[in-house]
Amino acid sequence: MSDHLAFLWRQLPNLLVGFPQQRPGGLVLSLVLAVLAVGVGFAVALPVGSGRLSPRRTVRGLALAYIELFRGLPLILLLLLVHQGLGGRRFGLDLSPRQSAFIALTLYTSAYQAEIVRAGLQAVPQPMLDSARLLGASTWQIFWRIQLRYALRVMWPAFVGQAISLFKDTSVLVVLGVGELMTTARAALGSDIRNAAYWVSLYLLVGLLYMVVALLASQAARRWEQRRTSTDLVHSLANA
Amino acid sequence: MFLQPAVVALLGKGLALTIALTVITSVLATCLGVLVGLGRLQGRRWLSVPAAVFVETFRNIPALVLVVFFAFALPNAFAPPLRRALFFDNPITHALAALTGLLAPWYLLGGALGLTLNTAAYIAELFRAGVGTVAREHVDAARSMGASWGVVYRKLLIPGGLHAAHPAITSRLIHNMKNTALLSFVSVPDFYGAVLTAISRSFQAIEFLLLAAAVYLVLSLGMSAGLQAAARKLFPTPRRPA
């Protein structure tokens, strides 16, 4: 038991921030990659999700194809497709595993977020849009100032869920050896047969780390949501 | 042409394993998820607390960690003779080895266990939320007309919960299908694993990866259409608002 704890204690800093003398990795890298991908993914999801509701058929079709494509593929496959396809010899981009991982995560999460954006935009009550139109607002004004503002409130919990889900999905990046938590766990065990006894305890710790971060994030989001909804005018209108 | 007969056979076997894995883990996870979801709804704490711990544990640990834990790590917790007897050398693994041709079927079993627990935890939460939409008045009416709790669960709460939750459960089951590709990481030759093998033999990465993408897209879209059709059959009447 004590040798297990000693092993875990020795490896804990590696799991959290990566190995010394290497680039930062471990849990910190998992978090950074997930947050960046969700942020950039939102920028992609906004036009794609709005495109799903476009009056033009081709736009609707393209947006739907984008969503079905990147939601229909396993992330583990998307990673290799980006790394070998975009980063391969034929396409000519020389992507590092980290860059490929970031691109694949962004494509993956943007498809899920686009569906959230669509649902959020659809939740905006029609009378609100009609009144804005009657007051003389232009289409873009209505979109940015009314539809999106309202929809963001509706979308918020789903976005948090998607971000947490993507954070857990970063574990798949181990197939590219990106250096995030799962990769450091595998490297910590290495191929040393004497470490075989530590597999269970190390993966329990890794699971615990993922779980603690996910639970803390959802708790914090809920707390923030509760505090904000009590003072938010748009939200009280939405739930009236 | 990159599709030689040997490669086609390899990929075909992988595809069969992926489909079998998807069906088995989906069915098990749905049943287990409904049970755990019902457990969470109970007033008795010795039922609801373990159910809540189950959900939070297996939902918040990534599927890949669960798969690696059960397939690779768990056997290492036992001393070698016991490990052999429990995981690698017993009637169940022999039968499975004969059926699938795998050298170490435990990796398949352990990986499937990880996927099942992960998906069951999600479905338990979705199902619980679905049961919450069944009108309290309906339950009270059934009870006051003398229906036992068993009948209320079988005729009202479980169908009602599944009806309300089925769109979310469908997308979770499709997610589960995509997660079967994670088993290639524990050396299970599912479709994705077979694709990786084919690539390592031929070095034609892009061709095989694009083929795999097409196959997974067909599986996703087909599963979505199939489960929606099944839901229309199972729940023909639109739900009345409670």
Side-chain angles (χ1 to χ4, degrees):
Chain A
M1 191 63 203
S2 64
D3 57 327
H4 279 261
L5 288 180
F7 178 78
L8 293 183
W9 184 247
R10 219 170 40 244
Q11 296 298 343
L12 188 61
N14 300 341
L15 294 180
L16 291 179
V17 295
F19 291 96
Q21 276 111 48
Q22 287 182 15
R23 287 212 263 173
L27 183 61
V28 171
L29 184 62
S30 301
L31 273 171
V32 168
L33 278 173
V35 169
L36 282 179
V38 165
V40 179
F42 180 66
V44 180
L46 200 56
V48 176
S50 324
R52 281 275 272 133
L53 302 170
S54 162
R56 274 182 228 158
R57 238 178 118 151
T58 36
V59 177
R60 277 206 308 272
L62 283 175
L64 183 67
Y66 181 92
I67 292 170
E68 294 293 350
L69 175 65
F70 292 115
R71 271 198 332 175
L73 298 180
L75 180 59
I76 195 170
L77 171 61
L78 194 57
L79 276 172
L80 273 201
L81 258 178
V82 169
H83 196 59
Q84 301 275 350
L86 286 180
R89 239 176 312 121
R90 275 176 241 189
F91 208 78
L93 290 176
D94 192 15
L95 294 177
S96 72
R98 263 172 221 237
Q99 292 165 331
S100 303
F102 172 69
I103 294 171
L105 283 176
T106 304
L107 292 173
Y108 189 70
T109 187
S110 67
Y112 281 94
Q113 290 188 67
E115 276 299 272
I116 301 174
V117 167
R118 178 189 62 85
L121 290 177
Q122 276 180 326
V124 182
Q126 192 61 40
M128 213 176 197
L129 304 177
D130 294 341
S131 335
R133 171 120 308 180
L134 278 175
L135 289 172
S138 71
T139 312
W140 283 106
Q141 276 177 324
I142 292 177
F143 181 78
W144 287 109
R145 306 207 160 198
I146 295 169
Q147 257 190 309
L148 200 59
R149 279 193 65 181
Y150 186 98
L152 277 175
R153 261 81 167 182
V154 184
M155 291 185 244
W156 168 252
F159 273 132
V160 173
Q162 176 53 33
I164 293 172
S165 173
L166 192 74
F167 163 69
K168 288 181 282 166
D169 284 335
T170 57
S171 56
V172 176
L173 303 187
V174 65
V175 297
L176 290 185
V178 171
E180 41 58 70
L181 179 51
M182 199 66 179
T183 317
T184 50
R186 195 173 61 163
L189 290 168
S191 52
D192 193 341
I193 192 75
R194 280 168 301 177
N195 281 344
Y198 299 129
W199 274 70
V200 165
S201 36
L202 189 83
Y203 276 106
L204 279 179
L205 178 63
V206 168
L208 194 70
L209 286 176
Y210 277 112
M211 190 169 141
V212 166
V213 173
L215 283 175
L216 283 179
S218 57
Q219 281 295 332
R222 207 171 304 151
R223 198 78 48 81
W224 195 68
E225 173 81 4
Q226 273 167 2
R227 226 189 26 217
R228 212 197 47 192
T229 46
S230 55
T231 55
D232 186 28
L233 178 68
V234 177
H235 194 279
S236 52
L237 274 175
N239 291 315
Chain B
M1 189 58 196
F2 65 101
L3 284 175
Q4 280 139 11
V7 174
V8 173
L10 176 78
L11 295 179
K13 264 191 202 161
L15 185 59
L17 188 56
T18 287
I19 292 173
L21 258 174
T22 304
V23 171
I24 292 170
T25 55
S26 296
V27 170
L28 289 179
T30 308
C31 297
L32 185 60
V34 166
L35 283 180
V36 174
L38 288 176
R40 269 203 90 170
L41 288 165
Q42 303 302 311
R44 279 163 288 188
R45 288 180 63 81
W46 61 272
L47 270 174
S48 64
V49 171
V53 171
F54 177 94
V55 168
E56 294 304 342
T57 306
F58 293 116
R59 207 170 55 145
N60 285 304
I61 296 180
L64 182 64
V65 178
L66 291 172
V67 166
V68 174
F69 178 80
F70 285 110
F72 279 175
L74 193 58
N76 281 324
F78 298 89
L82 189 58
R83 182 190 312 164
R84 258 182 84 78
L86 278 178
F87 297 104
F88 298 107
D89 197 8
N90 61 46
I92 299 175
T93 57
H94 288 315
L96 207 61
L99 186 70
T100 58
L102 293 176
L103 288 175
W106 168 254
Y107 299 151
L108 175 64
L109 280 181
L113 178 63
L115 289 185
T116 304
L117 294 175
N118 185 242
T119 305
Y122 277 101
I123 289 181
E125 263 320 76
L126 300 173
F127 174 71
R128 188 178 69 120
V131 170
T133 67
V134 176
R136 181 77 226 179
E137 290 82 354
H138 290 183
V139 178
D140 291 342
R143 286 291 289 160
S144 61
M145 286 195 284
S148 68
W149 274 115
V151 170
V152 170
Y153 272 112
R154 255 183 304 124
K155 299 277 179 194
L156 200 58
L157 291 178
I158 293 177
L162 285 176
H163 192 168
H166 83 257
I169 290 180
T170 296
S171 65
R172 187 33 67 179
L173 290 180
I174 294 173
H175 218 103
N176 182 48
M177 185 278 291
K178 293 195 291 168
N179 276 348
T180 59
L182 298 178
L183 263 69
S184 65
F185 194 71
V186 291
S187 65
V188 170
D190 74 317
F191 183 68
Y192 186 67
V195 165
L196 294 182
T197 310
I199 290 175
S200 69
R201 283 189 198 160
S202 69
F203 297 104
Q204 285 170 310
I206 292 302
E207 289 85 345
F208 281 112
L209 289 173
L210 287 177
L211 176 73
V215 169
Y216 276 107
L217 274 184
V218 169
L219 285 179
S220 296
L221 296 175
M223 214 172 143
S224 167
L227 286 172
Q228 270 170 27
R232 271 196 302 274
K233 263 247 155 78
L234 277 173
F235 312 113
T237 49
R239 272 170 58 80
R240 268 185 299 258

